[in-house]
Amino acid sequence: MKKGTESRTQGVLKRISGPVVTAVGLDAHMYDVVKIGHEELMGEVIKIQGENIIIQVYEDTAGIRPGEPVENTGLSLAVELGPGLLTSIYDGIQRPLEVLVEKMGDFIERGVSAPGLSHEKKWEFVPTAKAGDVVKAGDVLGTVQETNIVHKVMVPPNSKGGTIKKIAAGSFTVDETVCTLEDGTEITMLQRWPVRVPRPTKEKLNPDIPLITGQRILDGLFPIAKGGTAAIPGPFGSGKTVTQQQLAKWSDAEIVVYIGCGERGNEMTEVLTEFPELEDPKTGKPLMERTVLIANTSNMPVAAREASVYTGITIAEYFRDMGYDVSLMADSTSRWAEAMREISSRLEEMPGEEGYPAYLAARLSEFYERAGRVVTLNGVEGSVSVIGAVSPPGGDFSEPVTQNTLRIVKVFWALDAKLSQRRHFPAINWLDSYSLYLDSLTEWYDTEVSPEWNPLRAWAMAILQKEAELQEIVQLVGSDALPDEEQITIEVARLIREVFLQQNAYDAVDTYCSMSKQYDMMKAIRAYADLARVAQASGATPQQIVTVKSKNDLPQIKFIKDYEPALEKILKDMEAEFDAMRAA
Amino acid sequence: MKEYRTITQIAGPLVFVEKTEPVGYSELVNIVTADGTVKRGQVLDTSDDIVVVQVFETTAGIGRDSGVRFTGETIKMPVGKDMLGRILSGGGKPIDGGPEIVPEKRLEITGAAINPYARASPEDFIQTGISTIDGTNTLVRGQKLPIFSGSGLPHNDVALQIARQAKVPGSTEEFAVVFAAMGITREEANYFMADFEKTGALERSVVFLNLADDPAVERTITPRLALTTAEYLAFELGYHVLVILTDMTNYCEALRQIGAAREEVPGRRGYPGYMYTDLAGIYERAGIIKGVKGSVTQIPILTMPGDDITHPIPDLTGYITEGQIVVNRELHRKGIYAPINVLPSLSRLMNLGIGEGHTREDHKKVSDQLYAAYAEGNDLRGLVAIVGKDALSERDQTFLEFADLFEDQFVRQGLYEDRSIEETLDLGWKLLATLPEEQLVRIDRELIQKYHPKYRKAAQG
């Protein structure tokens, strides 16, 4: 701490206006954490104006009076990082909700602090480094079997490192020293890291591996890369939350950080009750074992909502530093932006567009820039993929949060209320969505799926695009007026929509669809399209082609686990039907 | 209690008081006018030299000579068992001529947030007897499901029908009803009260009435008083409480009015930037708590200005609540009651409360199929207007007819018609049976063979 001896750490409150208070007679730096009033509510310095220190308070300020004491802790808002993060459920400032229930009952009262990690629990530490090794910041000293995930204990990134003097296996709390360096530095399993500062890495890598999600429209048509960024904007009721939960459940990231930022209490509960029960398809263990949840519902204090996304991404970066692939969902960044707006207006700052502060764009891009696939300080690869939901008011994508987000993110999954009204789920509009990762991922699909995949994808997109054009004509003149060839196009597009794009999140089998199954399904639709073209060329009417019975069984493939025999049968029947058609 | 006579400025509902002892934020304030009337207010901003007080009643009569007393505590609501059957003002005072409430407790009206970890997942199906709700937008206990309506539409009838008929099938526990009226007319209030009295619902209700001519600022506390009462009934006395808040649009207008008086930077359409957080503080007070008997279910009603669902009030509401029931003007014009348009309606918690063990195994699939078929039929109406009915394919014609049948039989029902969930689902099947069977792509073959009228008849016959 650089502060001189005369630094004043005690001040008094001068003004209280909702979540923003002013203190005087205190020395502070920006983003210092302060304790407010007799109840010691937690707050953070957000503005300094001569003697006036402006503070945002993370708890309700009702009843607090001018003249009450304010104490500066001299620390910035930080999270505790170490074994015990996984399976935790936190509020926006990393207070474990379970501990809060024990301490203050079913409702969130104020003035209760709770550390993010248990300081009593002992963890079995297994050293991987030994005495005499030279270690630098970020290096792995040893491991702890946290859940089914191995937690790597690292030299803190801000440490100078040095030669290990002593390191021993054993049972330790997070406060106990597990390693001592020659220069006397003691290293524990606990790291504190200020949430507003990105954790350092060695190098950023190119996004050339997809994050496989098991959702056909995402993996197949609009993939996100590991370490990439995506936005899901959606008017309310378009199935945004379900889509995000599907991603949390099924994406092939090892660690999931889910931030419920300003969202509904009951939905958070659904996540909280469902996650512990969900089985991880890869390990058979509860999904919760590799998850950290942050729940700051819409009626919890607005300043803590502002902090929640930083808390979440810092935890995500910490696991990335161990070499894991982390996927982070923020639901919803619009609520986060609204928290910024609310605090900004209490500060009487000059507003930008629609009352949002002028620094909105900068904050959003800083946040998304913390995503990425990287080489960590200890030389392994890890990634943080960020999927942010935006909730544009009135479904109007031209509003500032959506627009500023779209300028940063590379993938856009456009949820569409019209589709959800039709019960087309996931209600992602295939014409408005895009992924800018397609080019960098081409090679991966060629080698890992099939060299045929990329052309097949392009073909499907072309059909869907063509259908949209044709639909405009159909709206005017009816489908019978279309040329034969295009009537078939319409039918093929319908198959792509109903068989491939629609996916039932609530069906035990269909909820996850492997890339190879996606490929097989698309190939089957293509097979029908090809047969149809041949049949049409040899004189079959569209009516005959459209009423081919076997293709009606295609949707059933989605719900069958070992689908190959069934699919083969459909393809065989289809060929037979077309053969018969030609014979006639 | 010290009384200050240091009012420096009065602007709209705001009173500025100087040179006070330290006053707590959000504290309750009494202002005594020259003729001795006491008006209540709340501290909005407090500092060494000036305190801003928002007065709940009209500021008429308040002058620089008025006395200001700071009570030293935040607003609390006296609650007690004998509140059931009572009618209170929007500020919580009895107005039914009965005695004062005997308080068993005095509770903070802002209400703390339920710890998400302490919440239990809502999953008890509430049968409202209205097909468009039970069948396709199911309400569950602990949910907040608003009715989006427009001026001149029968949303009050729908709300009353729900209040009258709501029950959990197979359970004998009754609902208590907390009804909060904000800025509705005396006539509307009488309509509600008459129905409550007629059906005997009043004795299991607590009614808060802030009428159109009551002070607008009072409206900002009415829903909080109502929800504090509801939480007390639910989480301390174990009642299942149904809260009806009407009309949230008036509440939001009051918020805007105060924001303007405070010269705040306005957000969209002049509504304050914190309206989302403020509304969340109301709507989120619904739910169930693990290990606690009662529940709070909310049905807020709002009239969409200009029937515009993207207006900030319905928009922000929809982002907080778990779905919405949309009352539709066209259906109303066609003379269909209850004129609920299922297409933009949604219940986000529906899947938790339906299916085997809750309603019936085919519920979800039937609902999806009804939705899809109605949406398709509805789209075709646009086409028919251009090309005429004859130009449609045979398949399309059946869907077009389905849409009409759906409105005429599924949507339309009587004001006092209480359909059981089985009746609703069977009605759905009856309508689906008018479509070619291969078009029922959203229902598994097994369920079709079990419930489709064609096979049922065969099985019976």
Side-chain angles (χ1 to χ4, degrees):
Chain A
M1 201 82 356
K2 276 180 247 135
K3 276 175 203 159
T5 43
E6 306 114 273
S7 171
R8 296 168 300 166
T9 58
Q10 290 282 346
V12 291
L13 276 180
K14 188 180 162 196
R15 178 180 173 194
I16 299 107
S17 172
V20 174
V21 305
T22 308
V24 289
L26 150 107
D27 290 325
H29 296 90
M30 283 297 275
Y31 301 117
D32 279 354
V33 170
V34 291
K35 289 178 172 168
I36 290 131
H38 300 300
E39 290 178 73
E40 303 199 334
L41 308 184
M42 192 167 156
E44 188 181 15
V45 176
I46 49 170
K47 191 173 176 182
I48 298 172
Q49 231 170 11
E51 253 302 86
N52 292 334
I53 309 293
I54 323 280
I55 299 158
Q56 63 174 352
V57 188
Y58 292 124
E59 297 173 80
D60 182 25
T61 52
I64 307 290
R65 298 158 190 248
E68 288 195 36
V70 177
E71 187 197 335
N72 187 359
T73 61
L75 302 168
S76 21
L77 184 65
V79 284
E80 293 191 343
L81 302 169
L85 284 170
L86 294 174
T87 73
S88 286
I89 301 163
Y90 295 119
D91 75 352
I93 46 176
Q94 213 207 3
R95 295 187 300 179
L97 290 174
E98 195 176 351
V99 177
L100 293 187
V101 171
E102 283 160 26
K103 284 196 171 187
M104 55 194 179
D106 297 334
F107 291 86
I108 296 194
E109 309 289 341
R110 61 188 194 187
V112 179
S113 62
L117 296 177
S118 163
H119 288 241
E120 285 87 45
K121 183 165 179 173
K122 295 224 176 213
W123 296 93
E124 222 41 58
F125 174 73
V126 181
T128 51
K130 55 185 188 305
D133 284 0
V134 177
V135 290
K136 52 183 196 326
D139 280 353
V140 176
L141 293 171
T143 59
V144 165
Q145 191 72 40
E146 191 179 346
T147 56
N148 59 327
I149 296 282
V150 174
H151 193 109
K152 293 175 184 148
V153 177
M154 298 170 288
V155 180
N158 47 6
S159 156
K160 291 195 305 290
T163 311
I164 298 176
K165 188 174 162 199
K166 206 180 122 203
I167 185 165
S171 209
F172 299 101
T173 68
V174 290
D175 293 322
E176 286 168 346
T177 306
V178 293
C179 173
T180 317
L181 301 184
E182 289 288 359
D183 65 357
T185 312
E186 296 188 333
I187 298 172
T188 64
M189 290 192 277
L190 175 78
Q191 293 188 16
R192 286 182 60 84
W193 192 263
V195 296
R196 295 183 199 276
V197 182
R199 287 172 64 89
T201 59
K202 204 177 267 171
E203 188 194 342
K204 272 211 169 185
L205 297 171
N206 282 333
D208 48 20
I209 303 172
L211 182 77
I212 294 298
T213 63
Q215 311 303 305
R216 285 187 292 270
I217 186 162
L218 306 186
D219 297 348
L221 300 188
F222 310 108
I224 176 177
K226 282 199 169 122
T229 52
I232 317 185
F236 61 76
S238 55
K240 178 192 66 188
T241 315
V242 177
T243 308
Q244 278 209 320
Q245 288 177 4
Q246 282 298 94
L247 285 169
K249 287 177 205 168
W250 297 107
S251 70
D252 67 344
E254 284 132 332
I255 308 286
V256 176
V257 178
Y258 188 99
I259 310 170
C261 173
E263 283 292 316
R264 306 177 180 88
N266 277 333
E267 252 166 34
M268 225 41 243
T269 306
E270 203 183 325
V271 175
L272 299 190
T273 45
E274 213 175 66
F275 268 54
E277 283 170 18
L278 276 177
E279 196 176 273
D280 185 338
K282 275 161 272 173
T283 62
K285 296 259 173 63
L287 183 62
M288 200 60 198
E289 296 212 339
R290 55 186 185 91
T291 305
V292 182
L293 292 176
I294 294 172
N296 210 84
T297 57
S298 54
N299 57 340
M300 282 156 75
V302 68
R305 192 199 305 166
E306 195 268 338
S308 63
V309 297
Y310 293 107
T311 301
I313 197 146
T314 309
I315 293 171
E317 286 176 339
Y318 176 67
F319 282 103
R320 173 205 65 193
D321 290 349
M322 296 180 205
Y324 289 118
D325 290 318
V326 185
S327 77
L328 176 132
M329 328 271 157
D331 187 10
S332 140
T333 58
S334 294
R335 305 291 157 245
W336 172 49
E338 273 162 20
M340 272 189 250
R341 171 165 75 180
E342 197 168 327
I343 289 157
S344 163
S345 97
R346 302 267 185 188
L347 292 174
E348 289 161 11
E349 289 173 340
M350 183 72 83
E353 220 180 323
E354 288 193 15
Y356 286 102
Y359 46 79
L360 172 73
R363 290 278 171 87
L364 281 168
S365 54
E366 273 167 28
F367 169 68
Y368 281 105
E369 200 49 29
R370 288 175 78 168
R373 194 159 69 90
V374 303
V375 176
T376 65
L377 292 181
N378 54 39
V380 298
E381 279 184 21
S383 69
V384 175
S385 314
V386 174
I387 296 153
V390 288
S391 327
D396 167 18
F397 289 178
S398 70
E399 60 90 39
V401 182
T402 311
Q403 279 307 309
N404 283 309
T405 304
L406 288 185
R407 286 197 290 124
I408 310 158
V409 300
K410 297 283 192 297
V411 179
F412 177 64
W413 293 323
L415 285 168
D416 188 335
K418 273 233 173 87
L419 289 175
S420 75
Q421 282 175 19
R422 249 154 250 228
R423 293 300 187 261
H424 175 109
F425 289 117
I428 296 172
N429 185 309
W430 49 92
L431 297 172
D432 295 343
S433 302
Y434 59 76
S435 165
L436 300 181
Y437 293 119
L438 281 173
D439 287 340
S440 60
L441 296 175
T442 307
E443 207 186 314
W444 187 91
Y445 282 105
D446 278 348
T447 51
E448 301 291 326
V449 184
S450 159
E452 284 171 52
W453 173 256
N454 286 307
L456 203 51
R457 177 197 179 275
W459 168 80
M461 281 308 292
I463 295 278
L464 289 169
Q465 181 59 45
K466 183 79 191 168
E467 185 206 20
E469 288 163 23
L470 294 176
Q471 282 297 355
E472 278 177 31
I473 303 170
V474 171
Q475 292 289 321
L476 289 174
V477 296
S479 62
D480 291 346
L482 287 179
D484 291 359
E485 196 187 326
E486 299 190 325
Q487 290 189 33
I488 295 171
T489 305
I490 295 250
E491 181 63 13
V492 173
R494 193 183 65 81
L495 283 181
I496 297 177
R497 282 190 284 111
E498 292 182 2
V499 177
F500 191 82
L501 297 183
Q502 286 185 7
Q503 189 165 357
N504 187 345
Y506 297 98
D507 184 272
V509 175
D510 199 30
T511 184
Y512 179 88
C513 185
S514 70
M515 206 50 230
S516 59
K517 186 171 177 183
Q518 297 188 23
Y519 174 58
D520 287 344
M521 286 171 69
M522 194 62 104
K523 236 178 12 184
I525 300 171
R526 178 74 202 242
Y528 167 76
D530 290 346
L531 286 170
R533 297 266 177 257
V534 174
Q536 190 228 336
S538 59
T541 65
Q543 189 59 24
Q544 282 175 307
I545 294 171
V546 167
T547 49
V548 165
K549 275 222 163 56
S550 48
K551 77 172 164 42
N552 294 342
D553 292 331
L554 276 176
Q556 295 297 328
I557 291 299
K558 297 197 260 194
F559 311 113
I560 305 173
K561 191 149 178 260
D562 300 309
Y563 64 91
E564 286 93 346
L567 185 61
E568 222 160 277
K569 182 173 177 298
I570 294 174
L571 287 172
K572 220 184 258 164
D573 291 352
M574 205 189 285
E575 264 176 58
E577 272 188 85
F578 275 104
D579 281 347
M581 204 185 295
R582 232 170 306 156
Chain B
M1 201 181 299
K2 200 162 167 188
E3 187 169 308
Y4 297 94
R5 290 188 182 276
T6 49
I7 294 179
T8 53
Q9 189 189 334
I10 303 167
L14 303 185
V15 172
F16 296 73
V17 191
E18 264 191 4
K19 295 191 204 76
T20 60
E21 305 271 307
V23 171
Y25 176 71
S26 226
E27 207 170 270
L28 180 66
V29 184
N30 289 322
I31 297 179
V32 188
T33 61
D35 61 2
T37 336
V38 179
K39 291 174 187 281
R40 294 190 307 159
Q42 185 181 16
V43 175
L44 276 191
D45 194 329
T46 170
S47 62
D48 289 349
D49 31 76
I50 201 144
V51 176
V52 184
V53 179
Q54 165 190 320
V55 183
F56 296 133
E57 295 148 69
T58 155
T59 45
I62 301 180
R64 295 187 57 186
D65 55 345
S66 302
V68 182
R69 293 183 198 147
F70 296 97
T71 60
E73 59 168 33
T74 47
I75 305 179
K76 294 204 168 64
M77 168 87 195
V79 288
K81 224 180 257 155
D82 57 357
M83 292 178 82
L84 285 174
R86 299 299 303 271
I87 302 172
L88 311 172
S89 74
K93 297 256 157 60
I95 50 170
D96 52 1
E100 288 285 317
I101 305 291
V102 182
E104 275 157 55
K105 269 199 171 164
R106 299 179 73 244
L107 299 174
E108 291 270 355
I109 67 157
T110 44
I114 302 177
N115 187 326
Y117 191 80
R119 278 180 187 268
S121 197
E123 54 179 29
D124 290 333
F125 162 69
I126 295 178
Q127 181 177 302
T128 64
I130 300 173
S131 290
T132 40
I133 298 178
D134 295 351
T136 46
N137 295 286
T138 316
L139 176 69
V140 295
R141 240 181 211 167
Q143 186 173 16
K144 39 196 179 290
L145 188 62
I147 297 177
F148 286 8
S149 185
S151 34
L153 295 180
H155 43 266
N156 290 342
D157 292 322
V158 176
L160 277 172
Q161 190 169 4
I162 295 173
R164 222 166 31 228
Q165 299 179 173
K167 62 179 151 301
V168 173
S171 146
T172 49
E173 296 156 319
E174 244 187 321
F175 278 92
V177 176
V178 172
F179 177 82
M182 291 156 280
I184 64 170
T185 59
R186 165 64 65 188
E187 205 182 312
E188 281 174 290
N190 287 346
Y191 185 67
F192 273 105
M193 299 317 301
D195 194 87
F196 277 10
E197 273 169 41
K198 192 168 84 191
T199 59
L202 188 61
E203 58 194 78
R204 52 183 178 101
S205 307
V206 186
V207 177
F208 291 84
L209 289 181
N210 167 285
L211 299 180
D213 56 349
D214 286 334
V217 184
E218 190 184 81
R219 266 161 230 168
T220 60
I221 61 166
T222 308
R224 295 189 164 80
L225 296 173
L227 287 161
T228 306
T229 309
E231 281 171 352
Y232 173 76
L233 292 173
F235 301 135
E236 306 218 8
L237 302 184
Y239 283 91
H240 291 287
V241 186
L242 184 69
V243 182
I244 299 175
L245 305 170
T246 181
D247 172 331
M248 288 305 290
T249 304
N250 294 334
Y251 172 85
C252 294
E253 293 302 335
L255 270 192
R256 175 159 73 171
Q257 188 183 337
I258 296 162
R262 291 176 68 178
E263 295 174 9
E264 289 168 342
V265 182
R268 234 167 25 118
R269 302 231 191 150
Y271 294 95
Y274 50 81
M275 193 155 90
Y276 177 81
T277 307
D278 190 279
L279 287 174
I282 293 176
Y283 297 140
E284 273 295 332
R285 293 173 78 175
I288 316 175
I289 296 177
K290 280 181 208 158
V292 177
K293 199 170 154 244
S295 65
V296 177
T297 308
Q298 258 190 50
I299 302 189
I301 300 171
L302 59 88
T303 45
M304 300 181 280
D307 290 352
D308 175 10
I309 200 166
T310 68
H311 184 279
I313 299 172
D315 192 50
L316 294 179
T317 299
Y319 273 121
I320 305 164
T321 55
E322 284 127 0
Q324 66 276 333
I325 301 290
V326 181
V327 180
N328 178 272
R329 198 169 297 277
E330 253 173 63
L331 287 172
H332 180 61
R333 283 203 199 111
K334 286 186 192 166
I336 294 173
Y337 176 86
I340 292 169
N341 184 359
V342 297
L343 294 180
S345 300
L346 169 79
S347 164
R348 287 169 179 275
L349 302 183
M350 173 164 175
N351 288 330
L352 299 176
I354 63 170
E356 231 173 333
H358 300 285
T359 54
R360 210 167 78 180
E361 53 176 340
D362 57 331
H363 193 156
K364 165 106 179 91
K365 302 270 165 90
V366 169
S367 165
D368 282 355
Q369 187 67 62
L370 286 170
Y371 252 102
Y374 179 56
E376 184 154 4
N378 202 36
D379 280 352
L380 288 167
R381 287 176 175 167
L383 186 58
V384 168
I386 303 170
V387 299
K389 202 168 174 184
D390 298 339
L392 291 186
S393 67
E394 204 176 311
R395 174 187 176 280
D396 286 355
Q397 294 208 12
T398 57
F399 275 90
L400 190 66
E401 278 157 27
F402 174 85
D404 291 338
L405 277 177
F406 181 80
E407 287 174 7
D408 193 52
Q409 300 192 15
F410 195 82
V411 181
R412 188 197 296 276
Q413 69 181 88
L415 207 50
Y416 289 87
E417 187 181 348
D418 190 355
R419 292 183 190 157
S420 75
I421 183 64
E422 285 77 19
E423 286 172 312
T424 292
L425 291 175
D426 289 346
L427 180 58
W429 275 109
K430 187 183 136 201
L431 297 177
L432 290 175
T434 65
L435 296 172
E437 197 183 317
E438 69 273 11
Q439 295 296 341
L440 306 181
V441 288
R442 281 155 205 276
I443 310 178
D444 328 10
R445 225 141 274 171
E446 283 164 44
L447 289 175
I448 292 184
Q449 294 194 335
K450 189 161 169 195
Y451 292 103
H452 195 291
K454 187 171 103 190
Y455 298 104
R456 274 193 169 183
K457 257 185 221 138
Q460 280 159 6

